[in-house]
Amino acid sequence: MSGSREDFTAAAQDFTAALHEIESNLEVRRLMIVVIHILVPALAMAVVNAATGDHYPESLVWLPANVLWIVGAVLVLGGVITGVILSRCHFGMVVNGAKLTMVADGGWQPRPLNWLGVTTNFLAINALAAGGGAALVGLAVGLPILGIGVGLGLAVLLMLVLQIQHERASRLVLELGHNWPTGEVPPVLREEHLRKSLDATSADIAVVVTMAAALFAGTFDAMTNLGALNALVLPAVATADLQTGAMVALAAFTLLSLLLSARIVVRLRIALAEHSMQLARLRDEPDRPWRFRPFERTFLLFALVMSLAIAVAMIGCWTVAGPLVAGVAGLALAILGALWYPLRLRAARPADHVPPGGSVGAADEGTSPSWWRRES
């Protein structure tokens, strides 16, 4: 690619600015997943703690009787607000990722939303929390079916917001893209982009696994205290039914969240391979980023998340169907996890991947915007 020195400087400046904007959006996105993973277990423990007390002073008697709708409302607000922020982060990453492509390569093609992408999975966890909060409010006011229906609708609405933001970002790129300069991007900036991609991906993996463990710890603590629930929470519901229902609901929510977290880890492992392969090509170095190793760090972290998911699945199944079904469910989930990671990694490997010692053709050179690849 050729151009004047002014084009070169402008392209480099815009490339650098887009990198900083993407990095900022990634940090905010990471913060939102931390917020929701702290909020959910903390509120679950708050409900159980409030419902197990039996010596409240007169000024606090109202709390256990109203704790369900209060916690539900907080979950709805927290899930919706953090979900909207995640969608806005996605908007910024799409726009600036497209800018990276146009500045460096001179062209860009809009892509549909990747419903299996990282932000999509993050938002799905938030949607589960918001939907669960709506169901709690419905239960508290004596309309559980309506609450579940509203919760499902709210979860779907949050996912649609992400789709809308994705389409808005694509339209904005088409509108503004012709004003962005194009030119040769210095190799040092391309390498910085890939190094930051690797750092951001590793940070995402660490946050996802840490928050998955925090979620499990909080909800499991709440489960172990359900036996002390009293009739003050919902006087119209039998305490035994309430305890069993709460156990199953907590287990189901935690299991879905942990499976989504495991899925995010797998997607991020693929992103690590993509970034490493591109960096190796840029440096003209051999690498084998797509090779699966049972003792690689990311797989061990994935195994940790899956272990927590297996434990929760067994807890839920044991509650409703006994130990035999719980054991079968745990074994099935363990086998699924053991196969899921390496097979998904193998399926994602590009057909034109050059093995160590091979040559890279001119068509393979360059740096595609890695963050954009994960978001689109």
Side-chain angles (χ1 to χ4, degrees), residues 301-312:
L301 292 172
F302 168 81
L304 174 60
V305 176
M306 286 301 299
S307 297
L308 301 178
I310 291 168
V312 172

Side-chain angles (χ1 to χ4, degrees), residues 26 29-30 33-34 37 118 122 196-214 258 260-276 296-305 341 345 371 374:
L26 284 170
R29 185 183 74 173
R30 208 171 290 131
I33 200 64
V34 170
H37 276 79
V118 174
F122 276 155
K196 285 188 173 183
S197 293
L198 286 168
D199 291 343
T201 304
S202 297
D204 281 345
I205 292 173
V207 167
V208 169
V209 175
T210 302
M211 291 298 100
L258 290 174
L260 286 170
S261 296
R263 197 173 184 286
I264 293 170
V265 173
V266 174
R267 180 63 191 92
L268 291 171
R269 172 60 178 87
I270 293 171
L272 282 176
E274 291 173 344
H275 307 332
S276 298
E296 66 185 32
R297 180 181 60 186
T298 307
F299 179 70
L300 294 176
L301 292 172
F302 168 81
L304 174 60
V305 176
Y341 185 102
L345 185 61
W371 283 310
R374 282 157 51 190

Side-chain angles (χ1 to χ4, degrees), residues 278-291:
Q278 294 165 20
L279 188 59
R281 287 176 174 175
L282 185 65
R283 295 173 173 174
D284 195 21
E285 297 175 347
D287 197 3
R288 300 180 65 184
W290 297 98
R291 183 181 62 177

